[in-house]
Amino acid sequence: MVEYSDWPTYSYGIKHIARMVTFRWRDPDPSGVNSIAWYNEYLANPSNDAALTKTLRYNEDDCLAMVAVEQYFETVLLPKRNPARVAACWAKRQTKEETNPFWLRRL
């Protein structure tokens, strides 16, 4: 979509970037390390539905965070930089290339 972007943050990780576009995880302390600990709790005690639910919710939120960043680029950042490219992106999505997750890299 864009060749590069600079963000006023010390990390380019999804947690930092997604927060900058107002996405919030449901867990107050989301991290990959915590999700591993929650899953290990579940494996040690499969009746611990709360640990499994936290793990699944964290992973779902990570995916939704990526969508939030993508939507930010498509609806906020990219139109400011190049409105014609936005139209090209959406046109590509309407073609057979929509099934290829790397379609944007070819623009």
Side-chain angles (χ1 to χ4, degrees):
M1 298 179 95
V2 295
E3 292 180 25
Y4 67 90
S5 64
D6 289 323
W7 296 82
T9 181
Y10 64 90
S11 170
Y12 287 127
I14 187 63
K15 303 293 185 299
H16 295 278
I17 300 298
R19 284 185 182 119
M20 295 192 76
V21 300
T22 71
F23 182 83
R24 298 291 179 258
W25 276 256
R26 288 173 277 185
D27 190 83
D29 188 24
S31 73
V33 171
N34 284 348
S35 72
I36 292 168
W38 299 327
Y39 189 65
N40 284 336
E41 287 175 26
Y42 170 74
L43 292 177
N45 179 9
S47 65
N48 186 352
D49 288 336
L52 180 61
T53 299
K54 281 184 95 166
T55 305
L56 294 173
R57 192 179 324 168
Y58 165 79
N59 287 320
E60 181 182 33
D61 284 352
D62 263 4
C63 293
L64 293 172
M66 292 298 293
V67 170
V69 171
E70 177 190 29
Q71 288 176 345
Y72 175 82
F73 272 93
E74 289 177 350
T75 61
V76 177
L77 186 61
L78 191 57
K80 290 179 183 177
R81 288 189 175 183
N82 189 343
R85 196 153 180 180
V86 173
C89 286
W90 286 110
K92 288 268 187 188
R93 282 193 165 188
Q94 303 306 314
T95 69
K96 63 182 178 179
E97 291 188 36
E98 184 175 17
T99 59
N100 182 344
F102 301 105
W103 66 272
L104 285 175
R105 293 183 184 174
R106 293 195 300 271
L107 290 178

